[in-house]
Amino acid sequence: QGRTFASVIKNFLLLSGPLNEVYLPLYATEKGKNAYNETLESVKNSFPQYIRELEGVAEGAQVEFHKLFLLHMDDILPQSVKHLNSIKKQPVGCSTIIVNGEHERVLGHTEDALTETLNHYYFVVAHIINETPQGKYNVKEERFMSLCYAGHLPGYTMNYNHHGLVFSINTLSAEVLRSGKTPRHFVTRALLSADNSDQALKILRDAGVGAGDGCSINMCFINDPSNLCYNIEMAPTEGNTKESTLNIRKIQTGEHSYHANKYERIEIEQANQIMLDSSISRMNTFGTYEPAKSKQDVINMLGDCSGGEHCVFREDGNLSQEVKTIAVGIFDMNEKTVALYSDNPRTTEPHCVLPMILKTN
């Protein structure tokens, strides 16, 4: 991955405002370095294989490992050392719709990111076989597809694995974050190994450590006889608790779910007011539609450009916009396909429709 995308990764590290303006200056301080080392040590204890994976990306791309790990720590560093000019003021986000119908089962996701991310992402399709069990969950084999930002581990955007797990992530911003916990990027990287819903929930709880920051996980197992889908809000651990705070919503047959970038069910102090305003606007837009029941409903809603500054699909035409919709994925769980778009799905055909590679036994 590092060798293949070396030029894209190097360029992204040069362009990344959060990295260069906030994370690296903090990393140069004693408090920042301590928070970094404490978090790195914690992840090494739980997921040494994913640290090796990230080291391999850094080596292949010929970039410094600490820069990649700082990107994975995200706001944990500035928030944990109480840096007043935290990058939390920057808007990021995405929208996810799940339709769990009797005849159509669909998960649709827009990936929204800072404008500098445009042309700095790629899809990774991987099959990893280890001779010995790896990490706290004794993983021996992983096979998945994931959208990755340049230099990032798979798992934090839209994904599926060969066990039939389809999931997408919505970033959520809690005010209080702690170093020494598991960054959400590593929690969701581990989620790519899950072979059933119980294992997925175990990974998200991260017993013994707990998440250092938060996100919303939208997920379904294609072949689960219960036909359940889930929206799970994950918040950082509180106090001395050593596991993530989870709120699990089950989406039954005949139901649907919408989620953006705001905690809807966990009561917690939230940061990033612009992202909250954007989330409220997008959820309000979804509320103007009849409840989604089909793939076409999902496409129409994710392609909605109404709502002014904080619309659902953010067009490239507005050059002043800090956030763009860089990709859209439509996962059809009945057809076992994923359709990928970089333009508005309402008005364009997908670049490709790929079959999901699933285990047969």
Side-chain angles (χ1 to χ4, degrees):
Q1 185 181 328
R3 284 195 302 270
T4 302
F5 299 110
S7 62
V8 180
I9 293 169
K10 286 176 180 174
N11 203 48
F12 183 69
L13 294 182
L14 290 174
L15 292 174
S16 174
L19 175 66
N20 294 298
E21 296 165 21
V22 179
Y23 307 155
L24 284 172
L26 280 175
Y27 176 74
T29 68
E30 184 179 0
K31 275 189 175 180
K33 194 67 178 291
N34 288 341
Y36 173 97
N37 288 334
E38 183 185 23
T39 306
L40 178 59
E41 192 60 32
S42 175
V43 178
K44 275 185 176 178
N45 287 336
S46 295
F47 305 114
Q49 75 273 35
Y50 301 143
I51 293 297
R52 290 197 303 272
E53 189 173 310
L54 195 60
E55 288 171 342
V57 173
E59 184 179 338
Q62 296 184 313
V63 299
E64 298 97 328
F65 170 82
H66 73 272
K67 291 184 178 179
L68 299 187
F69 192 76
L70 285 168
L71 289 174
H72 286 73
M73 282 185 70
D74 207 346
D75 259 2
I76 290 174
L77 183 56
Q79 293 287 79
S80 65
V81 300
K82 298 294 184 287
H83 183 59
L84 296 179
N85 297 317
S86 165
I87 205 68
K88 71 185 181 182
K89 303 301 180 190
Q90 291 278 12
V92 292
C94 45
S95 308
T96 300
I97 298 174
I98 290 177
V99 170
N100 191 16
E102 292 184 9
H103 305 294
E104 295 193 53
R105 301 182 77 222
V106 178
L107 184 151
H109 180 79
T110 63
E111 191 62 36
D112 299 345
L114 294 172
T115 301
E116 63 213 33
T117 311
L118 274 175
N119 302 319
H120 293 88
Y121 65 95
Y122 38 79
F123 281 90
V124 169
V125 178
H127 192 183
I128 302 167
I129 301 173
N130 298 293
E131 291 184 1
T132 56
Q134 301 289 308
K136 69 193 287 186
Y137 303 117
N138 298 312
V139 176
K140 288 197 72 172
E141 182 184 16
E142 296 173 297
R143 193 171 189 180
F144 55 78
M145 184 191 84
S146 177
L147 174 70
C148 294
Y149 293 112
H152 289 67
L153 293 175
Y156 195 67
T157 53
M158 52 175 119
N159 325 263
Y160 83 86
N161 74 11
H162 67 161
H163 300 294
L165 168 62
V166 174
F167 71 95
S168 70
I169 302 300
N170 314 115
T171 294
L172 302 176
S173 290
E175 180 65 39
V176 179
L177 306 180
R178 293 178 177 84
S179 58
K181 300 296 185 180
T182 308
R184 57 196 173 201
H185 282 73
F186 287 93
V187 174
T188 58
R189 173 64 188 86
L191 191 58
L192 284 167
S193 69
D195 57 6
N196 59 58
S197 55
D198 288 342
Q199 177 67 6
L201 294 174
K202 180 180 180 181
I203 289 168
L204 296 176
R205 284 196 182 92
D206 195 40
V209 184
D213 44 4
C215 63
S216 154
I217 303 96
N218 312 276
M219 72 177 202
C220 310
F221 275 90
I222 289 175
N223 298 319
D224 184 347
S226 73
N227 278 347
L228 285 173
C229 298
Y230 300 83
N231 172 260
I232 302 155
E233 292 185 349
M234 181 179 80
T237 55
E238 296 181 353
N240 295 320
T241 307
K242 292 191 175 181
E243 66 175 46
S244 312
T245 301
L246 300 182
N247 181 289
I248 302 163
R249 183 194 159 207
K250 295 179 180 179
I251 303 155
Q252 309 276 353
T253 301
E255 296 181 341
H256 65 278
S257 169
Y258 311 143
H259 212 286
N261 305 103
K262 176 179 178 289
Y263 283 103
E264 302 287 351
R265 302 185 303 276
I266 293 178
E267 292 191 13
I268 188 171
E269 187 179 0
Q270 300 188 59
N272 197 335
Q273 189 59 48
I274 297 176
M275 193 166 82
L276 293 176
D277 292 343
S278 170
S279 297
I280 292 166
S281 174
R282 285 177 276 142
M283 292 293 278
N284 286 343
T285 296
F286 292 154
T288 65
Y289 286 81
E290 291 292 318
K293 294 181 179 178
S294 68
K295 185 193 297 187
Q296 192 57 51
D297 289 345
V298 173
I299 288 171
N300 289 341
M301 293 169 75
L302 293 181
D304 191 299
C305 295
S306 67
E309 180 186 0
H310 299 309
C311 54
V312 176
F313 188 90
R314 304 167 195 212
E315 298 279 14
D316 294 347
N318 184 353
L319 296 178
S320 66
Q321 224 171 11
E322 290 187 81
V323 173
K324 307 288 188 194
T325 300
I326 63 172
V328 178
I330 305 292
F331 294 81
D332 188 317
M333 273 134 347
N334 288 351
E335 293 183 358
K336 300 181 175 61
T337 59
V338 53
L340 303 172
Y341 302 78
S342 63
D343 298 307
N344 193 319
R346 262 193 183 186
T347 56
T348 61
E349 293 297 312
H351 288 301
C352 56
V353 179
L354 302 174
M356 295 189 203
I357 302 168
L358 305 175
K359 269 193 164 182
T360 54
N361 54 5

